[in-house]
């Protein structure tokens, strides 16, 4: 079977298992995992938070099937185990948090377990390799993995917002990793893409409507953070190593924007509030549907920039990074001027 066929099969299995498991999860587990409206959560009725369970099932089924039917090159399986073990830790953490809703687990507990999952990645050789010095590489990997994991969690405040970015970012990472040899990043990106597509409709349906929950949003963030560490970006430009910042620009921007606004207002950046970019756009009169389209458009735009900086010379890459910085700064200034109720 050709490489492309295997990649497609990996995505299709993840998509089919994720989508197919949703009705069963609703039937057997929905009453135990409910997100009840409270605080800034304005949905009308309690909604099951089973998206993470379906995505984890789809991801695991896809990668196990590929493992049993494909001969991996030396070292790939070792890295893949690290990703799956770390993903399992994050998934179980999110599941525990979903069970304790609306209060959830404390921030220190979440950060400690997320650090453990990041340590598993490092132990299995999945880390930022920009520096050969472990004293720099290891802390950067911890910050990157924990930061992206929580960025996707913070982004999950409206139907389709987080899952659409997961689809876009997984696609962006896939386009960059595909030219390389068989690696865990190739198949993982396909599996994450397929599972995310399989779940997305359930985020909008009236029947079987489902939220990602912490088990889903943090799982996707962790996986994408790990995948971003698993590919080379600097074959054509020495500045290509910053491409993941563009690929994941939308969730990173929202997290940085929310944290900055909360700090400027004297609030704890780890506590929930209505300071998110999406909520500010809606406050300004943009509908939820058009807000989602704006986020999708922004995600696609920055992923195209991310791919471009890996394919061009240093001067052009620097210009693209500067363009991204200007656009994100302008967006932050505009959003910061929209007044929100405390």
């Amino acid at each position: 079977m050709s490489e492309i066929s295997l990649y497609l099969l990996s995505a299709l299995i993840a998509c089919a298992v994720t989508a197919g498991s949703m009705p069963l999860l609703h039937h057997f587990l929905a009453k135990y995992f409910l997100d009840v409206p409270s605080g800034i959560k304005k949905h009308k009725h309690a909604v099951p938070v089973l998206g993470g369970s379906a995505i984890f099932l789809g991801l695991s089924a896809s990668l196990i099937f590929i493992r049993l039917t494909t001969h991996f090159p030396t070292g790939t399986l070792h890295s893949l185990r690290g990703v799956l073990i770390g993903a399992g830790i994050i998934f179980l953490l999110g599941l525990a948090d979903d069970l304790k809703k609306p209060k959830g687990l404390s921030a220190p507990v979440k950060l400690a377990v997320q650090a453990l999952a990041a340590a598993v990645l490092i132990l299995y050789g999945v880390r930022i390799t920009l520096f050969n010095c472990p004293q720099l590489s290891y802390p950067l990997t911890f910050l990157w993995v924990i930061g992206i994991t929580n960025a996707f969690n913070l982004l999950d405040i409206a139907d389709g917002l987080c899952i659409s970015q997961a689809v876009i970012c997984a696609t962006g990472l896939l386009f960059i990793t595909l030219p390389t040899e068989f690696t865990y990043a190739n198949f993982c990106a396909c599996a994450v893409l397929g599972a995310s597509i399989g779940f997305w409709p359930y985020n909008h349906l009236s029947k079987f409507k489902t939220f990602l929950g912490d088990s889903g949003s943090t799982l996707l963030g962790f996986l994408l953070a790990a995948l971003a560490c698993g590919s080379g970006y600097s074959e054509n430009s020495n500045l290509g190593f910053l491409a993941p910042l563009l690929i994941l620009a939308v969730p990173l921007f929202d997290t940085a924007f929310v944290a900055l606004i909360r700090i400027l207002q004297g609030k704890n950046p780890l506590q929930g509030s209505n300071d998110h970019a999406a909520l500010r756009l809606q406050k300004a009169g943009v509908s939820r549907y058009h807000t989602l389209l704006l986020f999708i458009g922004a995600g696609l735009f920055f992923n195209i920039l991310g791919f471009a900086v890996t394919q061009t010379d240093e001067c052009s890459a620097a210009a693209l990074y500067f363009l991204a910085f200007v656009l994100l700064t302008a967006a932050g200034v505009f959003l910061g001027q929209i007044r929100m109720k405390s």
Side-chain angles (χ1 to χ4, degrees):
M1 189 177 293
S2 68
E3 294 179 17
I4 298 299
S5 296
L6 286 171
Y7 294 141
L8 288 173
L9 185 60
S10 177
L12 286 172
I13 290 173
C15 182
V17 172
T18 298
S21 65
M22 283 305 313
L24 291 174
L25 290 171
H26 264 260
H27 180 74
F28 291 105
L29 297 176
K31 62 182 179 181
Y32 302 109
F33 295 90
L34 291 174
D35 192 346
V36 180
S38 64
I40 64 173
K41 298 180 180 181
K42 303 300 183 183
H43 49 285
K44 296 180 180 179
H45 309 288
V47 177
V49 284
L50 296 167
S53 300
I55 288 172
F56 189 75
L57 287 173
L59 177 84
S60 300
S62 172
L63 295 180
I64 289 172
F65 177 84
I66 292 298
R67 166 66 184 91
L68 295 175
T69 58
T70 305
H71 177 69
F72 284 94
T74 303
T76 298
L77 189 56
H78 183 71
S79 298
L80 190 58
R81 286 196 191 102
V83 174
L84 283 175
I85 293 171
I89 292 172
I90 293 295
F91 169 66
L92 291 175
L93 171 66
L95 209 60
D97 192 53
D98 290 336
L99 272 173
K100 292 178 68 65
K101 285 188 181 300
K103 186 178 180 180
L105 299 173
S106 67
V109 170
K110 291 181 182 179
L111 291 174
V113 179
Q114 289 168 4
L116 173 63
V120 169
L121 287 181
I122 294 173
L123 181 65
Y124 279 83
V126 180
R127 60 183 178 86
I128 293 174
T129 56
L130 176 61
F131 304 102
N132 291 326
C133 176
Q135 287 79 5
L136 289 175
S137 177
Y138 294 169
L140 281 176
T141 302
F142 274 103
L143 289 173
W144 173 255
V145 172
I146 293 173
I148 298 298
T149 297
N150 287 290
F152 273 82
N153 184 228
L154 288 172
L155 192 62
D156 189 27
I157 56 168
D159 294 345
L161 207 58
C162 180
I163 195 67
S164 62
Q165 291 303 313
V167 169
I168 292 168
C169 295
T171 303
L173 289 169
L174 182 59
F175 269 97
I176 291 176
T177 59
L178 269 180
T180 64
E181 65 176 5
F182 273 10
T183 65
Y184 75 90
N186 300 46
F187 286 112
C188 266
C190 288
V192 171
L193 176 60
S196 298
I197 292 173
F199 168 75
W200 194 349
Y202 289 97
N203 214 190
H204 300 279
L205 293 176
S206 54
K207 184 180 181 181
F208 297 128
K209 182 176 179 63
T210 314
F211 289 163
L212 275 171
D214 278 24
S215 60
S217 59
T218 55
L219 173 63
L220 290 172
F222 176 85
L223 288 167
L224 291 167
L227 293 180
C229 295
S231 178
Y233 302 95
S234 302
E235 292 183 4
N236 298 303
S237 169
N238 289 331
L239 295 178
F241 70 92
L242 293 173
L245 295 177
L246 295 177
I247 294 171
L248 295 156
V250 171
L252 282 172
F253 167 79
D254 186 64
T255 300
F257 175 77
V258 170
L260 180 60
I261 290 294
R262 291 176 184 174
I263 291 172
L264 291 176
Q265 294 176 346
K267 300 177 181 177
N268 184 346
L270 298 178
Q271 290 182 344
S273 69
N274 63 351
D275 295 316
H276 295 270
L279 297 179
R280 286 176 175 265
L281 286 172
Q282 292 170 26
K283 178 68 174 180
V286 182
S287 68
R288 288 190 177 187
Y289 175 71
H290 287 108
T291 296
L292 176 59
L293 289 182
L294 282 172
F295 269 73
I296 290 174
L300 289 171
F301 175 77
F302 284 107
N303 267 260
I304 291 171
L305 288 188
F307 180 76
V309 298
T310 67
Q311 305 299 314
T312 189
D313 59 82
E314 292 181 24
C315 183
S316 298
L320 292 175
Y321 286 125
F322 181 72
L323 173 63
F325 175 77
V326 170
L327 292 174
L328 291 172
T329 301
V333 171
F334 169 76
L335 292 168
Q337 292 175 344
I338 301 172
R339 301 190 65 179
M340 303 292 288
K341 292 181 180 179
S342 301

